[in-house]
Amino acid sequence: MTVLGIETSCDETAAAILENGSVRSSIVSTHWLHAKYGGVVPELASRAHLRLLPPILDQLMEEAQTPLEKLDAVAVTQGPGLIGALLVGISTAKAIAFARSLPLIGVNHLEGHIWSAGFEQPQELQQPFLALLVSGGHTLLVGVEDFSQYRLIGQTRDDAAGEAFDKVAVLCGLGYPGGAEVEKHASLGNPSYREFPVGMTGQKGYDFSFSGLKTAVAYFLRRHPEALAEHQNDVLACFQEAAVASLIEPTCRAFDDFGYGALVLSGGVAANARLRERLGEEIGKRGGSFLSPDPHLCTDNATMIAWVGWRRLLAGERHGFDLCGEPNLPLQTITEPGTC
Ligand code: KG4
Ligand code: ZN
C-alpha cells in the first residue's frame, strides 16, 4: 500500500510517501520566518503552508517516482496543532483523496511522534514500552500497551520541555525555535558554572515542570547581564543539565515502578544529544533498552504521519470527508493520571 502523508500542524510543511511502511521520499520545510517574532505567528504559518505545500507535493512525487495515480491512500495530521495550519493540510488531503477516490485517514500528531522509532527499528520496538514524548507543545510520559492503547503516566504541569529551550534561547538572543542552537552553545560550556533548579525535585509521581527553571535563568541573566557576553555557553550548559535532569528523574522513577522493558524517546527535544546520552545511560543501568529515532525524525515530519496512517488503514480504519482539524486533539488514553 502506497500512502501519502501530510503534516502541517505548526511551523513545518512536510509530506512523505511510504510504500508498505518504507519511506520512498520525505520532505520537510521549516518556516524560519517566525524567528524574528520569537514564536510561531499562526496566520503566517497558515499562509506559508498554503504557499509551500503544492510545490513540495510535486517535488515529493517526482523524487518518489510515484505520481498521484499510484497512491493508494492519504494520511494527514488531524491535531493537535494550530487550526489554520491544520486546515491547509486537511483540505489538501481531502482534495487529493476525493479526486482519486482514495481512502483518507486523520492521524494524531502525538501518536505520530510516539511511533516514530517504529518504522526505523521495527524489530526492536516491542510493546509494551514506556514513551517519553518531548516537543515544543507537549511533554508526556505514556505507557504504550499496544497500537492505540495508551496509559497517561505523567505530563508537564506548566511549560513543555521544548518551550523551555525556546524561551531560554530567546533570552539569550539565539532566535526561534532555539532548542538546537541552545544545544550547540551548551556543548561548548561548563555545566558546573552554577546550578539551576531541577523541576519536581523531591516530589512524588511522574509529572514534569520547567517554568521554575526558565524563570531562574531569566532572573540570573537580569541580575548578571555581563554573563550573557562572558558566560553564555556556561549558562546554557547549566540550563541544559537541569532541563535534562528534570526529564530524567520522573521518567526513571516511572521506568522502575511500572516494569516496562524499553523506553522510547521522541519529539523535537529528543534530537538533543545530551538528553539521549543521559537517558540511554540511565535506562541501560536498569537493564532496559533505549530507543530514539534518528534526530531528523524527532522533529516534525510527515513520515511519522504516513506510517501511523498506514497502520490504522491496515486495521480497517478510515475517515469520511467530514474530517475536521482538532487543535486540542488528545491522545486517546485508557487510564487517566492518578488512577494507574
Ligand atoms: O516535535 P517538534 O518538531 O514540534 C512540536 O510538535 O512541537 O518539536 C520542536 C521543539 C522546539 O521547541 C525545538 O526548540 C525543540 O523541539 N528542539 C530541541 C532540539 N531540536 C529541536 N530542543 C533541544 N535540543 C535540540 N537539539
Ligand atoms: Zn511535533
Side-chain angles (χ1 to χ4, degrees), residues 239-294:
F239 159 74
Q240 182 174 269
E241 282 306 297
V244 166
S246 304
L247 287 167
I248 285 183
E249 288 186 15
T251 303
C252 289
R253 221 167 23 245
F255 197 80
D256 293 338
D257 292 352
F258 285 82
Y260 290 104
L263 178 87
V264 173
L265 172 70
S266 64
V269 182
N272 186 285
R274 182 68 180 148
L275 175 62
R276 295 163 83 96
E277 174 192 80
R278 287 283 296 110
L279 206 47
E281 273 168 18
E282 289 298 329
I283 298 300
K285 271 189 221 162
R286 291 163 166 81
S289 46
F290 172 75
L291 281 102
S292 192
D294 188 83

Side-chain angles (χ1 to χ4, degrees), residues 52-339:
L52 291 167
L53 192 52
I56 283 179
L57 289 173
D58 285 342
Q59 188 190 337
L60 180 81
M61 286 188 269
E62 197 179 315
E63 276 179 19
Q65 297 184 334
T66 309
L68 276 181
E69 304 79 62
K70 289 203 178 158
L71 295 177
D72 297 314
V74 186
V76 62
T77 304
Q78 185 184 4
L82 302 169
I83 187 62
L86 290 167
L87 284 178
V88 175
I90 292 174
S91 308
T92 307
K94 281 184 187 173
I96 295 171
F98 183 73
R100 304 295 317 163
S101 303
L102 300 176
L104 172 73
I105 185 90
V107 172
N108 187 312
H109 182 88
L110 305 176
E111 204 175 14
H113 275 305
I114 286 176
W115 288 94
S116 52
F119 44 85
E120 275 198 314
Q121 298 142 298
Q123 291 84 7
E124 283 104 295
L125 192 65
Q126 309 276 331
Q127 304 94 271
F129 58 85
L130 183 65
L132 175 62
L133 165 51
V134 276
S135 70
H138 294 85
T139 302
L140 294 176
L141 195 53
V142 179
V144 180
E145 306 299 320
D146 203 345
F147 206 76
S148 296
Q149 283 204 301
Y150 306 105
R151 183 179 297 272
L152 183 58
I153 291 175
Q155 59 191 321
T156 182
R157 299 227 177 144
D158 38 58
D159 293 345
E163 212 177 332
F165 273 87
D166 291 338
K167 286 178 176 166
V168 167
V170 169
L171 287 174
C172 292
L174 297 178
Y176 176 90
E181 275 302 304
V182 168
E183 179 179 4
K184 261 190 232 158
H185 285 265
S187 67
L188 304 171
N190 171 11
S192 311
Y193 169 63
R194 57 159 294 123
E195 260 186 35
F196 287 123
V198 172
M200 306 300 285
T201 296
Q203 308 265 341
K204 289 194 182 135
Y206 314 102
D207 280 347
F208 307 92
S209 169
F210 295 94
S211 69
L213 168 59
K214 174 196 69 188
T215 307
V217 175
Y219 280 151
F220 176 76
L221 290 176
R222 199 178 298 167
R223 279 198 302 271
H224 303 278
E226 74 290 350
L228 212 46
E230 292 160 21
H231 290 285
Q232 191 189 60
N233 293 345
D234 301 333
V235 170
L236 291 173
C238 298
F239 159 74
Q240 182 174 269
E241 282 306 297
V244 166
S246 304
L247 287 167
I248 285 183
E249 288 186 15
T251 303
C252 289
R253 221 167 23 245
F255 197 80
D256 293 338
D257 292 352
F258 285 82
Y260 290 104
L263 178 87
V264 173
L265 172 70
S266 64
V269 182
N272 186 285
R274 182 68 180 148
L275 175 62
R276 295 163 83 96
E277 174 192 80
R278 287 283 296 110
L279 206 47
E281 273 168 18
E282 289 298 329
I283 298 300
K285 271 189 221 162
R286 291 163 166 81
S289 46
F290 172 75
L291 281 102
S292 192
D294 188 83
H296 82 281
L297 288 171
C298 291
T299 44
D300 286 351
N301 64 84
T303 307
M304 65 187 194
I305 302 303
W307 194 85
V308 170
W310 170 65
R311 290 286 303 259
R312 288 196 168 278
L313 289 160
L314 286 181
E317 293 178 42
R318 62 165 70 188
H319 281 102
F321 288 112
D322 56 352
L323 177 72
C324 276
E326 297 277 352
N328 299 313
L329 187 68
L331 192 65
Q332 289 301 323
T333 49
I334 49 177
T335 318
E336 289 307 312
T339 59

